[in-house]
Amino acid sequence: MLSTVQAKLLIVDDLPENLLALEALIKREDRQVFKALSADEALSLLLEHEFAMAILDVQMPGMNGFELAELMRGTEKTKNIPIVFVSAAGRELNYAFKGYESGAVDFLHKPLDIHAVKSKVNVFVDLYRQSKAMKQQVEALERSRREQELLLTRLQATQAELEQAVRMRDDFMSIVAHEVRTPLNGLILETQLRKMHLARDNAAAFTLDKMHAMVDRDERQIQSLIRLIEDMLDVSRIRTGKLSIRPARFDLAQLVHNLVENFAPQVAAAGSTMQLVVEGPVEGNWDEFRIEQVITNLLTNALRYGAKSPVDVRVYTEHGEARVEVRDRGIGISEENQKRIFQQFERVSASHVAAGLGLGLFISEQIVAAHGGTIEVESQIGEGALFRVCLPLEASV
Ligand SMILES: Nc1ncnc2c1ncn2[C@@H]1O[C@H](COP(=O)(O)OP(=O)(O)OP(=O)(O)O)[C@@H](O)[C@H]1O
Ligand SMILES: [Mg+2]
């Protein structure tokens, strides 16, 4: 590693023949020697290159070697370059050099002792290479430290995400358990009641009328269990990218019309009303079963969170899209929560109203997106909410 570092050497002397002789002495394959005939020339080379050392003739016309050295010590880029002064033996040694203490300085005397020159240059070049290599190592260490820091930050982010996922799963499990228990409790109570009547031979409890009501209640409980399981299956289908869409041509207006009609009992039970406005058939290629699921969730939500307010439903076309709007005048959704509600298991905690699993909108958005469409919400707290489903009229699936 050390030998790969090219070392640049600067030699300064006003006599060309001295320069040539010195160059011949110190030249080597892994060194580049730069020659300057004056201090000025030397300065411009010093600014341009990074030198391992400089050998300065003390006696030069104009700026002498000591003056040049002082300038070098005063400049950031050159102040740490080791300097070797070349002087006539015994004469200029008394010259004061102010920068002496601040860096590596040495002397060579004329006539030059070949061995002394070579060994001094070797020492400084080795020093230069070592400090260069050290610097590279420090830089590499710093780089790897920064990489580690980055990695750690990423790791911490992943950990936080994982913890959040685990928390969500725990919450989900307790919501599911609760949601499953409600219909099951209803069923087991019914069963116990029937057993009690049977034990007492109470035939009056099993008249046709009462049987009808019983079967209806059982069916509702079982349906809600099935819906719960279907929703959870859909979520896992979405997670594994297996939510399939089977498009076929149908009239969206007709579908919504039928749904609104079928919702009459729920509308009545919620103490609300539901109004539908349709501008004529809206035909397209979509998965009817899946779109029904989306609209059903919007209608259920409007009744659930609509605070008995009238619900307005509209089917129309605009900008090459089929659109269904469901509007209620209920509790509304804050801007911040409008982003959350489309995520899985997200239920706005402020709405204590009988809530579901918080999967409806998540599944709906995925279904609509799989059709190349969008689902948007416009709402303000206390002013109800408007959900709009937009589906491309031209088949994109
Ligand atoms: N029309 C609405 N008005 C006010 N808040 C709403 C409305 N629709 C949805 N929300 C809020 O968005 C949340 C998410 O709705 P989403 O349909 O995804 O779940 P859910 O209705 O709670 O349960 P699920 O649909 O799985 O039975 C709801 O819990 C509710 O807080
Ligand atoms: Mg819902």
Side-chain angles (χ1 to χ4, degrees), residues 78-295:
T78 55
K79 76 174 186 198
N80 292 318
I81 299 175
I83 296 171
V84 176
F85 293 108
V86 181
S87 65
R91 278 187 46 211
E92 294 114 341
L93 286 184
N94 309 337
Y95 273 65
F97 170 52
K98 286 189 197 139
Y100 190 88
E101 329 76 44
S102 69
V105 168
D106 210 336
F107 286 90
L108 282 167
H109 304 291
K110 287 176 186 169
L112 292 174
D113 168 350
I114 296 174
H115 180 71
V117 173
K118 283 189 168 173
S119 71
K120 277 195 206 308
V121 171
N122 285 346
V123 167
F124 282 121
V125 168
D126 281 352
L127 263 175
Y128 171 76
R129 292 214 165 104
Q130 274 162 14
S131 86
K132 225 11 208 204
M134 189 107 85
K135 221 161 131 189
Q136 280 169 357
Q137 276 167 7
V138 169
E139 277 166 11
L141 270 172
E142 176 61 17
R143 258 200 312 280
S144 88
R145 192 188 62 81
R146 274 200 300 268
E147 277 164 16
Q148 271 175 14
E149 247 173 30
L150 205 75
L151 226 69
L152 194 69
T153 324
R154 281 202 206 126
L155 221 70
Q156 280 165 342
T158 315
Q159 191 186 359
E161 275 168 24
L162 274 173
E163 279 169 1
Q164 163 79 358
V166 169
R167 255 199 312 278
M168 263 177 116
R169 180 145 301 195
D170 289 349
D171 289 355
F172 178 62
M173 291 310 279
S174 64
I175 295 169
V176 169
H178 175 81
E179 293 289 315
V180 169
R181 213 169 45 201
T182 311
L184 282 181
N185 271 341
L187 285 171
I188 193 71
L189 274 176
E190 284 275 358
T191 314
Q192 285 166 348
L193 198 66
R194 285 170 214 169
K195 261 176 108 174
M196 199 182 77
H197 287 309
L198 285 173
R200 294 179 184 169
D201 291 329
N202 186 6
F206 299 97
T207 60
L208 263 187
D209 268 10
K210 290 193 172 145
M211 288 288 278
H212 263 300
M214 273 180 207
V215 173
D216 279 351
R217 282 198 300 273
D218 289 354
E219 194 181 17
R220 268 206 303 282
Q221 312 281 31
I222 294 168
Q223 285 297 355
S224 84
L225 277 174
I226 291 176
R227 198 188 69 93
L228 222 70
I229 290 161
E230 283 299 331
D231 277 1
M232 292 189 330
L233 280 175
D234 277 349
V235 169
S236 87
R237 283 189 194 111
I238 289 166
R239 279 220 192 102
T240 52
K242 287 188 188 132
L243 185 88
S244 60
I245 299 295
R246 296 195 191 90
R249 197 151 187 86
F250 73 94
D251 179 6
L252 183 62
Q254 187 63 48
L255 171 74
V256 178
H257 176 84
N258 294 345
L259 280 176
V260 169
E261 249 179 18
N262 295 343
F263 254 75
Q266 282 104 304
V267 174
S272 170
T273 56
M274 194 175 275
Q275 181 104 35
L276 171 67
V277 176
V278 177
E279 290 170 3
V282 178
E283 293 208 344
N285 265 310
W286 309 293
D287 185 326
E288 187 165 2
F289 169 76
R290 290 298 183 185
I291 297 301
E292 176 179 330
Q293 201 179 340
V294 173
I295 309 297

Side-chain angles (χ1 to χ4, degrees), residues 297 301 304 360:
N297 181 50
N301 283 355
R304 235 184 225 165

